Amino acid sequence: MKKDYTHICIVLDASGSMECIENDIKGSFNTFLNKQREEKGKTVFDLFQFSSEVERLVKSADLALFKDDLMAKYTCSGCTALNDAVCTAIDTMGKEFSAMPEEERPENVLCVIITDGQENASKEFSTADVKKRIEHQQNVYQWEFLFLAANQDAFESGSALGIKENFCKGFCQDSRGVADMSILISCCASEIRTKRRAKK
């Protein structure tokens, strides 16, 4: 593993119901990314958005090199293919990491799932598929998963996907709620880095 290399993947709901906070998401997440640029070590960012379909908007952007607006293409419409998005993100990153030499793979991986609604549009994967993948990555590769949800019981929904209860949080679907959410993600990423360094 490459010391002080943190890979952050955001799996972000882009269904029609998220449109009311679309601009808040863009602004707050750019602030979050700027904060991550200040962290020690290498930070790489991936962004998958999901509505009725899944799209990878940002592919392995090294934050030290990319200063442009990484949230520019985020746009909301359609339904909620949550299962397809999470499984696609995990499978894609897992395949890419496995193709790297062992010494170049990220020391820390944080996958953040953000949604304001229940799964209703996946075509390929089930909730059981999501849970199997998440538990495998947590247990075998020590990936961390953070589940952030509005308009539902975040603990119940996140636990059903195999995510640890203390990593399941609710958020208010407004400007302040989105700002608080981005701060929480930043704190979680910093905490993961600090814990791994302390173990050395």
Side-chain angles (χ1 to χ4, degrees), residues 21-47:
I21 54 172
E22 181 178 316
N23 289 330
D24 298 311
I25 289 280
K26 289 178 177 178
S28 291
F29 274 69
N30 275 319
T31 300
F32 158 73
L33 292 171
N34 286 332
K35 175 68 175 175
Q36 294 307 304
R37 287 186 175 98
E38 299 171 2
E39 292 280 356
K40 178 183 176 182
K42 178 179 179 178
T43 305
V44 176
F45 177 68
D46 260 282
L47 175 63

Side-chain angles (χ1 to χ4, degrees), residues 12-15 18-19 21-23 25-26 47-50 57 70-76:
L12 179 58
D13 193 337
S15 61
M18 290 284 284
E19 188 175 11
I21 54 172
E22 181 178 316
N23 289 330
I25 289 280
K26 289 178 177 178
L47 175 63
F48 291 80
Q49 76 165 26
F50 64 94
L57 298 185
L70 294 174
M71 298 301 299
K73 294 181 180 179
Y74 174 66
T75 185
C76 301

Side-chain angles (χ1 to χ4, degrees), residues 118 147 149 152-162 168:
Q118 301 286 345
F147 181 77
Q152 60 191 283
D153 185 327
F155 296 103
E156 181 179 350
S157 299
S159 295
L161 299 178
C168 301

Side-chain angles (χ1 to χ4, degrees), residues 89-108:
I90 292 173
D91 290 353
T92 300
M93 291 194 302
K95 183 177 180 180
E96 291 175 358
F97 294 158
S98 67
M100 294 178 179
E102 173 67 24
E103 64 273 13
E104 294 300 320
R105 294 175 190 170
E107 178 183 34
N108 310 309

